[in-house]
Amino acid sequence: MMNSPDSAENEASPEKGEQTELEKLKSELELEKLESKKLMELADGYLDSARRIKAEFENYQKRTAREKEETTLYATGKVVSEMLPLLDDLERALSAQCSLEEFKEGISKIHQNMLALFEDYGLKEIPTETFDPTYHEAFSVGEGEDGKILEVYQKGYSLGTKVLRCSKVKVAKETGENNG
């Protein structure tokens, strides 16, 4: 059986077709490898950026905490240093040889100076005319006009809009036959 020239061409054709297909697949595989490599490099870049951002944020948090601590320490130091003259005045008053009346007068002046210093920092005494649970803590109840403060056991203070200490008070509550 002899191969005809047509059959030789037919046999060669599938081989060329297979080679062309194989080369095409190899080429596609190379393109896919290149694309995969580019995507991995891009992913590595993003991962590196994320790590850097995370490190920068952690450094920011540490720096902010340090600055807050330093600010608090500075503010506290400022207040304490401005109170030192009051401490000196109290020590002088305690060591002074004077009458009880002179001692009371000296302590009263120290008290006024202390109040003035606190007022300079924005400290205000909470008013105690009418009971408000935001600013007052009722310790007892007595007879009188409903909601009126009858007695102040301990003064309350605010700094700006922040309540530092509620006033401890005795509050009036109307007593009548209808309040049963």
Side-chain angles (χ1 to χ4, degrees), residues 50-118:
R51 285 181 180 147
R52 287 173 191 248
I53 290 170
K54 180 183 177 194
E56 286 175 10
F57 184 69
E58 287 171 352
N59 289 338
Y60 165 77
Q61 286 179 316
K62 290 174 187 174
R63 186 177 61 249
T64 303
R66 243 187 348 264
E67 288 171 356
K68 183 179 178 183
E69 190 175 303
E70 288 171 2
T71 301
T72 302
L73 186 61
Y74 174 77
T76 303
K78 183 171 174 35
V79 172
V80 169
S81 69
E82 290 185 13
M83 290 186 72
L84 287 176
L86 298 172
L87 181 62
D88 294 338
D89 290 345
L90 283 171
E91 288 174 351
R92 279 191 291 274
L94 290 172
S95 66
Q97 299 295 323
C98 59
S99 69
L100 182 60
E101 194 58 41
E102 290 172 324
F103 182 75
K104 283 183 178 180
E105 185 180 327
I107 295 297
S108 176
K109 287 180 182 177
I110 294 170
H111 180 255
Q112 289 171 359
N113 291 342
M114 185 176 276
L115 285 176
L117 176 65
F118 286 152

Side-chain angles (χ1 to χ4, degrees):
M1 298 207 230
M2 217 180 207
N3 288 341
S4 67
D6 288 338
S7 67
E9 279 181 25
N10 287 342
E11 286 178 15
S13 263
E15 259 185 40
K16 280 186 181 179
E18 286 176 8
Q19 282 182 346
T20 307
E21 184 68 26
L22 185 59
E23 288 174 3
K24 183 178 175 185
L25 288 174
K26 282 182 181 179
S27 174
E28 286 178 15
L29 181 60
E30 286 300 315
L31 286 173
E32 287 295 323
K33 283 182 181 179
L34 285 174
E35 185 66 28
S36 177
K37 185 178 178 182
K38 286 180 185 176
L39 290 174
M40 286 302 292
E41 288 173 357
L42 186 62
D44 286 343
Y46 287 148
L47 182 59
D48 185 53
S49 292
R51 285 181 180 147
R52 287 173 191 248
I53 290 170
K54 180 183 177 194
E56 286 175 10
F57 184 69
E58 287 171 352
N59 289 338
Y60 165 77
Q61 286 179 316
K62 290 174 187 174
R63 186 177 61 249
T64 303
R66 243 187 348 264
E67 288 171 356
K68 183 179 178 183
E69 190 175 303
E70 288 171 2
T71 301
T72 302
L73 186 61
Y74 174 77
T76 303
K78 183 171 174 35
V79 172
V80 169
S81 69
E82 290 185 13
M83 290 186 72
L84 287 176
L86 298 172
L87 181 62
D88 294 338
D89 290 345
L90 283 171
E91 288 174 351
R92 279 191 291 274
L94 290 172
S95 66
Q97 299 295 323
C98 59
S99 69
L100 182 60
E101 194 58 41
E102 290 172 324
F103 182 75
K104 283 183 178 180
E105 185 180 327
I107 295 297
S108 176
K109 287 180 182 177
I110 294 170
H111 180 255
Q112 289 171 359
N113 291 342
M114 185 176 276
L115 285 176
L117 176 65
F118 286 152
E119 285 175 4
D120 287 347
Y121 278 98
L123 185 76
K124 293 184 181 169
E125 187 178 323
I126 294 173
T128 53
E129 292 83 35
T130 306
F131 181 75
D132 181 347
T134 307
Y135 302 107
H136 308 110
E137 187 175 345
F139 265 37
S140 63
V141 178
E143 285 188 33
E145 184 183 327
D146 213 21
K148 186 176 179 189
I149 293 176
L150 301 173
E151 190 175 341
V152 178
Y153 300 121
Q154 187 177 47
K155 292 179 181 180
Y157 295 94
S158 64
L159 188 62
T161 58
K162 181 176 173 51
V163 174
L164 296 179
R165 180 175 77 191
C166 289
S167 299
K168 293 175 174 53
V169 297
K170 180 178 185 177
V171 183
K173 183 171 177 119
E174 274 188 38
T175 57
E177 295 175 21
N178 295 338
N179 286 347

